[in-house]
Amino acid sequence: MLCMKRFSIPNKSSSIGSFIPSFTFSVVSSKLTMPKGKQRKVEEEESTRKGTPKIDLISSLPDSLLCHILSFLPTRCAMATSVLARRWRHLWKDLLALDLDNSKHSPYYLPGGTHRFIAFVNAVFAQRKALRVEKLRLACDIPRGEKKTIKTWIRTVVGPHLQEMYLDLSFACNEFGDRHIKLPEEVLTSASLESLVLKGHVFLTVYDGFVDLPSLKNLELDLNYVDPDFVLLGCPVLENLKLTLHESFPLNASQPPEIYMPVSLKRLTLIQDDDIEEDINDIEDLVIDTPLLEYLSITLWARCLQVSISNYPNMVEAHLDIDQDKEQVGWMLELLKALRQTKLLDLKLSTMECLLVAPAFELPEFSRLLNLELEIPYFNSGFLIKLLHNCHMLQVLTLHNREKVSTVEPEEPNCWTLPMKDPDCVISHLKIFEFKGYQDSADEHAFVAYLLERGPILKTMKIHAHRSLGLKYKHRIRQELSTIPRSSKTCKLKVT
Amino acid sequence: MSEIDMAVIKPEMMKSYIWLQTSDGSIQQVEQEIAMFCPLICQEIITKGMGSSKNSAISLPQQVTPSTLSLILDYCRFHQVPGRSNKERKSHDEKFVRMGTNRLCELVSAADSLQLRPLVDLISRALARKIEGRTPEEIREIFHLPDDLTEEEKLEPLKNITDDPRIRLLNRLYAKKRKELKERERLKNVEIEEERVDERSVDDLLTFINGNDRDAKAVKTSKSKKKNRKKKDQQKNSSLKDNTALDKKELNGHDTGDQSSDGNIIGETSNLLYEEDGTFSPKIDFDDGDLDDDGIEPAIREKIDREVADFARRINSDWTERMQDFLTSGRERTSTFSATNGNGYLRRHA
């Protein structure tokens, strides 16, 4: 093995000739590769052996590759590599990516006022040799009077080569007056831009015409004032969207807020910022007609008066945290139906609460569902088993019982006429089960017992007892559950 | 054909194979669909029809050794399967890059030559993680880089921030202006005090200057440029009318003043790059390095020299003239006084 390792360094020596036949033989017979683990161990051994020649392999890499490596570093760090060795002195100047992060949690934060940071960035622009910028990441606080400087930077960077832009700009507190920086128009009409992230106090406006981003694939908006439709209409090939709605949505009170998701969307995250106290306006029209959608995550409680949902045959992962009034619940049920092809479904508490008080509704069959996570407002084993009937491919089930420990008798949900099936095939694929907030009620116990007795390939069962239960009680639970005969021989039970 | 032989011997292996030749000359067979994951191999097969037999094996670039090829093929084998989730791919990639630095360099070089972009990005990120947050010494240790820069060259990135000659001229003029104002202030104090005090202070000053001269000269032997500057100043010194101690003192003070004030300004601007607590912050020494004259064009240098001479003349002029000057620019002085107080310059020399 060691001989072959030495062999890997590309220098022609006479010993190579004698090794060829044995090498190719072993290659063909053992499916082409040396076991990876062995190879790595050998490597480690060699490097820790004393007297190993210290080969500087990184310097044999071409400049373009070294520059590529530097492009993954924050710009301050990349600039600092100029003191490493002669070769590295001017490498950073050819960087096409700028990562200028002066946010407070960044390790490169310059304390003592943003003026130092601004001078630093000016120095970067002055000293670099490359004429274009392909990626810009800028996160900082804007001090008084420096809006123009920042806009100049953005203007310098926008060009036919700009591919990614990330801006997280905020004003230092106690800034009165105009607390927004207007994004230069060229950014919103860039033909080359593929990824755009805007956070903070950036203000979007286009004077003549509209937003036109024909190459944009990734968009993230987390702005205080934004009319999302204004931007979304100009992104015909958008694949990823993350939209955060703040209290000042919608921007224009006279126009009804509408959100039309681009048809090409594959990943959608819609979040409503929840640290506001006042009521938010209703969303007039929400259209999620995106047949290519693979990932969906919605956190929303604004009333949606009209929602258009299409089918999502490619859905893989869906997380729903939606709270609607009784009148609007209808679209949630429609959404659930549209998500029936998903592999992962995660329904948070408010969603479950809404669904459980919804009028009678036929739950769709989730034929591909592998992973189900539910936060339930109260525990009802009958209902859960009925639910399991509709996802017989299920491999992972996680329940979180958010019921407050009380003596109120939970009522049977009046919804969900579920088709009855042969009870035995319900959990035929279940491998992992996790139960959080276990309160050891008779119902819960019955359910857990059912799974243990009936789950043929159950591998892991984790029960997290409710925090109000003491250690002794947990021990008792463990004893009780361990006595239940298990259908699966390899099942491991864990109670914490 | 050996491929047909293979098909006869192992009928269950219905995949087609491609022949690849690595840098050492050895030839091996690889499943076609895995090899096609590499754009270069794909190109060779499609456009040139190579690789179908042992004789027409695709010869891979020099950077691809048998061991790196096997690693690359492992990578391709995992990722060309379509049904994997993002999580799976990520965790595989994380484990994949757990290898020695030299191995990573070999691998990235090979992947780059095969135009396998995702693997190049993965390894580049791993190498970047090894660089980030480390001191230069640590990085040199990890990558076995030669430490082949002189001390001066290592400080260059800092100096270059204010390399713009206009900025340096501006700094110099500001320093002179400040010096001027400070002198006026001191003159005012001097006039108020007794003449005797002046006398004594002159002696003190002389010893101080001589001592200072010696020290200064010792410090500046390493920088010949500074010596030249010193000589120039001393030449000017002799050319002036009154060779009073005050004159000397002021010129010397001018020098040190220049240092400190320039130092202040440049210190401020250069500190922007490197902060004291950062892991990657070379020590900043503020000698007169920033005042190298060679960077400045002769025209500007002349202008500066003229300024210096003018300044010296003004100081040497009669008391009445000085007072005249002082009184007329009184308003100006008070307004800038507060400004100069701010940077601690007066504090150090008052």
Side-chain angles (χ1 to χ4, degrees):
Chain A
M1 279 302 140
L2 284 174
C3 300
M4 288 172 76
K5 186 66 189 69
R6 229 182 289 135
F7 177 61
S8 72
I9 296 169
N11 46 8
K12 313 271 182 204
S13 67
S14 55
S15 60
I16 291 175
S18 57
F19 277 109
I20 291 177
S22 57
F23 182 74
T24 46
F25 174 74
S26 62
V27 158
V28 168
S29 62
S30 63
K31 292 211 176 140
L32 305 165
T33 57
M34 236 161 62
K36 237 199 297 184
K38 261 192 196 166
Q39 220 177 24
R40 294 232 187 95
K41 259 192 214 149
V42 164
E43 156 70 5
E44 279 164 8
E45 275 171 34
E46 178 160 321
S47 58
T48 52
R49 248 189 320 161
K50 286 184 188 168
T52 317
K54 291 188 175 174
I55 313 158
D56 172 20
L57 273 186
I58 198 166
S59 296
S60 63
L61 297 178
D63 273 356
S64 57
L65 259 185
L66 287 179
C67 223
H68 190 64
I69 295 172
L70 288 182
S71 69
F72 293 109
L73 292 170
T75 306
R76 263 191 83 195
C77 191
M79 261 181 113
T81 60
S82 55
V83 299
L84 281 179
R86 196 159 290 276
R87 172 90 188 279
W88 294 71
R89 269 178 94 195
H90 303 289
L91 271 182
W92 72 269
K93 294 179 184 171
D94 292 321
L95 274 181
L96 299 174
L98 296 174
D99 183 353
L100 308 160
D101 193 344
N102 200 43
S103 51
K104 297 223 166 32
H105 56 78
S106 152
Y108 296 98
Y109 175 64
L110 286 166
T114 324
H115 299 278
R116 290 176 72 192
F117 175 71
I118 295 202
F120 159 65
V121 175
N122 282 331
V124 170
F125 275 114
Q127 286 190 55
R128 60 190 292 270
K129 282 194 249 160
L131 291 174
R132 59 186 206 214
V133 174
E134 285 182 3
K135 296 186 195 169
L136 172 69
R137 183 165 180 274
L138 180 63
C140 66
D141 286 334
I142 309 174
R144 198 170 298 202
E146 294 287 3
K147 273 206 285 193
K148 243 187 179 169
T149 317
I150 303 224
K151 277 210 251 182
T152 312
W153 295 342
I154 299 173
R155 279 214 184 83
T156 313
V157 154
V158 168
H161 302 281
L162 186 66
Q163 290 169 10
E164 293 179 23
M165 179 178 273
Y166 176 111
L167 291 179
D168 186 358
L169 306 171
S170 46
F171 279 84
C173 45
N174 305 326
E175 270 284 335
F176 296 114
D178 189 9
R179 294 190 77 208
H180 289 91
I181 181 166
K182 279 212 192 83
L183 193 68
E185 267 180 62
E186 299 88 47
V187 179
L188 293 175
T189 49
S190 163
S192 57
L193 204 59
E194 288 177 14
S195 165
L196 180 62
V197 176
L198 297 173
K199 295 185 184 176
H201 297 124
V202 181
F203 191 80
L204 302 181
T205 185
V206 176
Y207 293 105
D208 325 299
F210 303 93
V211 171
D212 181 24
L213 297 163
S215 315
L216 198 72
K217 294 213 180 104
N218 178 46
L219 177 65
E220 205 177 306
L221 292 177
D222 186 358
L223 304 173
N224 273 337
Y225 291 102
V226 67
D227 190 4
D229 229 30
F230 171 68
V231 182
L232 292 176
L233 281 175
C235 312
V237 298
L238 198 66
E239 289 180 10
N240 299 348
L241 173 64
K242 184 171 175 192
L243 188 58
T244 309
L245 304 173
H246 289 280
E247 60 200 50
S248 36
F249 170 82
L251 175 63
N252 202 339
S254 61
Q255 278 176 359
E258 296 173 337
I259 309 180
Y260 282 78
M261 300 298 175
V263 169
S264 51
L265 218 56
K266 286 191 185 160
R267 294 179 65 95
L268 170 61
T269 307
L270 183 61
I271 301 176
Q272 193 164 345
D273 190 16
D274 64 352
D275 55 32
I276 53 169
E277 274 111 40
E278 50 212 49
D279 275 332
I280 200 167
N281 290 317
D282 305 336
I283 297 178
E284 186 75 31
D285 201 357
L286 177 63
V287 176
I288 313 181
D289 183 8
T290 53
L292 301 171
L293 203 64
E294 293 169 13
Y295 174 94
L296 178 67
S297 170
I298 301 186
T299 307
L300 193 64
W301 70 87
R303 261 188 340 167
C304 301
L305 303 177
Q306 226 181 320
V307 184
S308 271
I309 311 246
S310 67
N311 266 328
Y312 310 125
N314 298 341
M315 186 58 70
V316 173
E317 207 177 307
H319 303 261
L320 301 179
D321 187 2
I322 308 175
D323 194 6
Q324 297 280 291
D325 296 338
K326 258 193 175 158
E327 303 90 54
Q328 272 82 39
V329 156
W331 72 266
M332 284 174 66
L333 301 173
E334 228 186 285
L335 181 62
L336 210 58
K337 249 201 225 160
L339 292 172
R340 63 185 179 279
Q341 301 284 11
T342 186
K343 292 192 180 164
L344 184 147
L345 186 61
D346 174 20
L347 302 176
K348 296 276 188 263
L349 188 62
S350 27
T351 322
M352 286 307 292
E353 283 174 341
C354 289
L355 290 176
L356 289 171
V357 300
F361 159 79
E362 192 181 314
L363 196 69
E365 189 168 317
F366 292 94
S367 52
R368 303 204 309 197
L369 194 65
L370 300 175
N371 192 324
L372 179 63
E373 265 185 61
L374 299 176
E375 274 186 13
I376 42 184
Y378 54 81
F379 193 87
N380 185 297
S381 62
F383 144 71
L384 282 171
I385 292 177
K386 282 187 203 161
L387 183 59
L388 286 175
H389 271 108
N390 276 34
C391 9
H392 41 253
M393 298 297 289
L394 198 67
Q395 291 179 12
V396 180
L397 175 62
T398 310
L399 293 177
H400 192 151
N401 188 3
R402 298 282 288 263
E403 183 176 4
K404 296 191 179 51
V405 182
S406 64
T407 51
V408 173
E409 192 61 38
E411 45 185 88
E412 175 87 15
N414 61 352
C415 67
W416 303 41
T417 57
L418 302 167
M420 288 306 292
K421 278 216 180 94
D422 179 5
D424 285 325
C425 80
V426 161
I427 46 173
S428 49
H429 292 87
L430 196 67
K431 286 189 195 157
I432 301 173
F433 174 67
E434 198 170 332
F435 197 143
K436 298 180 191 166
Y438 182 76
Q439 289 167 23
D440 200 31
S441 66
D443 204 11
E444 286 168 330
H445 186 96
F447 183 75
V448 173
Y450 177 87
L451 290 181
L452 280 171
E453 288 164 6
R454 303 290 199 101
I457 56 168
L458 198 61
K459 262 205 301 192
T460 327
M461 178 178 285
K462 287 189 198 161
I463 312 281
H464 304 279
H466 193 272
R467 55 178 185 274
S468 62
L469 304 178
L471 270 175
K472 252 206 227 169
Y473 203 125
K474 285 183 193 170
H475 194 67
R476 192 160 69 77
I477 297 171
R478 204 179 292 124
Q479 300 281 59
E480 271 178 21
L481 292 176
S482 308
T483 57
I484 299 171
R486 297 174 203 177
S487 164
S488 154
K489 301 280 178 279
T490 55
C491 179
K492 277 192 211 154
L493 175 66
K494 198 170 157 190
V495 180
T496 57
Chain B
M1 297 278 117
S2 51
E3 268 181 49
I4 299 169
D5 289 344
M6 289 280 289
V8 165
I9 295 166
K10 292 169 186 172
E12 70 269 21
M13 287 167 82
M14 295 295 283
K15 309 174 209 170
S16 54
Y17 282 76
I18 289 293
W19 294 86
L20 301 173
Q21 184 178 35
T22 49
S23 59
D24 58 320
S26 69
I27 302 174
Q28 44 177 279
Q29 263 190 327
V30 178
E31 292 110 296
Q32 184 167 352
E33 55 184 9
I34 294 176
M36 295 273 272
F37 207 68
C38 303
L40 187 79
I41 298 177
C42 200
Q43 208 176 20
E44 290 280 306
I45 295 174
I46 293 174
T47 58
K48 299 185 192 165
M50 300 275 285
S52 48
S53 72
K54 200 166 183 178
N55 293 332
S56 64
I58 300 171
S59 84
L60 298 174
Q62 194 216 7
Q63 296 93 332
V64 185
T65 67
S67 59
T68 54
L69 179 65
S70 71
L71 280 175
I72 291 175
L73 291 173
D74 284 344
Y75 180 87
C76 294
R77 191 170 296 116
F78 184 88
H79 282 277
Q80 60 102 9
V81 174
R84 303 209 193 263
S85 73
N86 278 344
K87 267 189 201 166
E88 280 181 330
R89 288 182 198 268
K90 259 191 186 168
S91 75
H92 165 268
D93 286 347
E94 270 166 42
K95 287 184 209 147
F96 188 81
V97 288
R98 276 193 225 147
M99 59 178 90
T101 315
N102 276 347
R103 199 121 189 81
L104 283 174
C105 294
E106 273 184 333
L107 204 54
V108 76
S109 182
D112 185 50
S113 65
L114 292 175
Q115 298 164 19
L116 191 55
R117 197 95 201 131
L119 185 58
V120 171
D121 283 349
L122 174 66
I123 302 177
S124 300
R125 276 179 212 271
L127 288 169
R129 279 196 292 273
K130 291 196 192 246
I131 295 176
E132 193 170 350
R134 296 221 152 96
T135 66
E137 293 80 28
E138 284 174 9
I139 298 176
R140 282 195 210 103
E141 181 64 41
I142 294 172
F143 290 100
H144 313 302
L145 294 174
D147 191 357
D148 55 2
L149 288 172
T150 66
E151 284 305 309
E152 195 176 309
E153 285 170 325
K154 282 183 192 167
L155 291 176
E156 219 179 70
L158 306 165
K159 286 198 237 165
N160 282 341
I161 302 291
T162 46
D163 212 14
D164 190 333
R166 289 163 299 178
I167 296 177
R168 283 157 74 181
L169 171 67
L170 211 60
N171 286 342
R172 205 177 290 262
L173 290 174
Y174 283 143
K176 284 184 186 58
K177 185 75 181 174
R178 251 182 235 123
K179 190 63 176 84
E180 198 177 312
L181 294 164
K182 192 206 131 199
E183 274 313 308
R184 283 199 189 127
E185 204 260 345
R186 206 185 300 157
L187 280 172
K188 178 189 168 204
N189 292 338
V190 162
E191 301 316 318
I192 295 166
E193 287 171 21
E194 292 173 13
E195 274 294 315
R196 283 224 159 252
V197 175
D198 236 358
E199 199 71 52
R200 254 176 280 144
S201 62
V202 167
D203 290 328
D204 285 341
L205 289 170
L206 275 171
T207 49
F208 167 77
I209 289 164
N210 289 334
N212 196 27
D213 258 336
R214 249 182 277 122
D215 287 346
K217 276 198 179 124
V219 160
K220 288 167 190 177
T221 41
S222 57
K223 304 219 170 186
S224 52
K225 290 174 188 170
K226 281 187 206 157
K227 247 201 211 160
N228 289 338
R229 188 193 158 77
K230 203 108 187 67
K231 281 186 200 153
K232 231 201 301 186
D233 281 342
Q234 284 173 355
Q235 276 168 16
K236 271 199 201 78
N237 221 344
S238 55
S239 69
L240 294 168
K241 284 186 210 168
D242 288 354
N243 229 340
T244 58
L246 202 60
D247 197 0
K248 253 197 198 159
K249 179 213 171 191
E250 150 269 305
L251 271 179
N252 233 323
H254 171 263
D255 242 313
T256 50
D258 235 8
Q259 270 181 47
S260 54
S261 62
D262 268 19
N264 269 344
I265 297 158
I266 293 170
E268 245 169 43
T269 46
S270 294
N271 268 329
L272 308 164
L273 234 209
Y274 298 96
E275 48 171 338
E276 298 70 38
D277 62 284
T279 48
F280 218 129
S281 37
K283 263 290 181 188
I284 304 160
D285 262 329
F286 283 107
D287 292 326
D288 256 353
D290 305 294
L291 300 178
D292 285 346
D293 288 351
D294 296 350
I296 309 177
E297 298 128 28
I300 303 178
R301 204 188 300 182
E302 270 175 39
K303 187 176 175 199
I304 293 168
D305 293 344
R306 257 182 282 125
E307 283 246 7
V308 170
D310 186 56
F311 181 38
R313 230 179 301 122
R314 288 170 80 183
I315 296 298
N316 291 337
S317 57
D318 291 339
W319 179 82
T320 44
E321 277 182 54
R322 273 192 236 134
M323 273 317 284
Q324 201 87 333
D325 238 12
F326 173 74
L327 287 167
T328 47
S329 58
R331 243 177 277 143
E332 188 194 293
R333 188 185 63 77
T334 47
S335 60
T336 48
F337 204 81
S338 47
T340 50
N341 249 330
N343 74 348
Y345 174 78
L346 289 173
R347 255 185 278 129
R348 279 161 78 184
H349 294 270

